[in-house]
Structures are given as C-alpha cells and as structure tokens.
Amino acid sequence: MPSNKLARINDDIQYVVSQLLREVKDPRVQQGMVSVTRVETTGDLKFSKIWLSVYGMQDEKEFRKGMKSVAPWMRRELGNRMKIRNVPQLVFEVDHSIEYGAHINDIINQLSAEQEPEVEE
C-alpha cells in the first residue's frame, strides 16, 4: 500500500500528465479522447507507470509509438511543473477496462431487450 506522500505524488502526476496530454501535437497520440486512469510510482521515484484509456482509438500500436516518442518531453515538463528532485521515468500502458465495461454493458442491454415480456392486452 502506497504511503501518503507517494499517493499525493501519484495524484499530482496523474493531474499534470492529463494536462500535458492536451498539449501533445503528435497525431499518433491524438487518436481519440485520452484520459489517465491510474498512476503507480515506485517508492524510490525511479519509475512511474501510467495507464491511459483512449476512447475511439484507431491503431494501438501507433498510439504506443507516439506515447514513447513524447515521453521525454512529458518527463521534462512534469519536472518543471511539479518541482520535485527526482522525476520518474514514464512508462505508459493502455487501459482497456473502460472499453471492456462498455462492451459488457452492450451485452447486458441486448439480453434485457430480448428478455422483455410482451404485454398481453
């Protein structure tokens, strides 16, 4: 379980990275609506794993390449905005949980539409 300091740093990184994602000009990254779902930073602040959810992604492979190319810029900006001594290396992961939840919701809606009893008059 992360300490309070580490939890605050994770929250701050999540907030700053979500702001920085709006400033990225790379078309590989701007495929859809990108949001930061979770951040986990190691205790020594060497690495920070950031989960991104993308609604409307066309090509995941290109998105990953784009995020890898903007990571050094994001790390530099993160250091400037957060004013911390050790800025962690940023590792990005694609989070499919929102898409999966929407898919399950569609299945449930289809099943409930099929199960609706007909009203007898």
Side-chain angles (χ1 to χ4, degrees):
M1 177 143 197
S3 66
N4 287 336
K5 179 182 177 184
L6 196 55
R8 280 195 322 267
I9 289 173
N10 286 339
D11 290 342
D12 290 344
I13 290 173
Q14 183 173 356
Y15 178 74
V16 173
V17 168
S18 66
Q19 287 180 332
L20 290 174
L21 282 170
R22 292 185 221 139
E23 300 174 16
V24 174
K25 304 277 191 279
D26 193 338
R28 296 177 294 183
V29 175
Q30 299 299 332
Q31 291 187 20
M33 188 173 74
V34 182
S35 59
V36 180
T37 56
R38 184 173 58 169
V39 175
E40 286 184 7
T41 305
T42 58
D44 59 357
L45 297 179
K46 296 289 183 186
F47 294 96
S48 184
K49 188 177 271 193
I50 301 169
W51 279 269
L52 302 172
S53 176
V54 184
Y55 185 74
M57 182 179 351
Q58 288 92 21
D59 188 6
E60 184 175 337
K61 190 174 183 179
E62 288 298 314
F63 178 76
R64 287 179 183 270
K65 285 181 184 178
M67 287 308 300
K68 191 171 184 178
S69 71
V70 301
W73 172 80
M74 288 187 103
R75 182 176 184 217
R76 184 175 60 248
E77 288 296 316
L78 188 70
N80 290 339
R81 294 183 188 195
M82 287 185 58
K83 305 288 189 221
I84 56 177
R85 185 178 306 156
N86 295 326
V87 181
Q89 292 285 333
L90 304 178
V91 179
F92 296 101
E93 293 292 329
V94 178
D95 185 4
H96 296 286
S97 63
I98 294 176
E99 293 172 2
Y100 181 72
H103 175 68
I104 295 298
N105 193 28
D106 290 341
I107 291 172
I108 291 171
N109 288 338
Q110 288 174 355
L111 290 175
S112 65
E114 293 173 3
Q115 296 293 326
E116 286 184 10
E118 294 182 22
V119 178
E120 295 180 17
E121 293 181 22

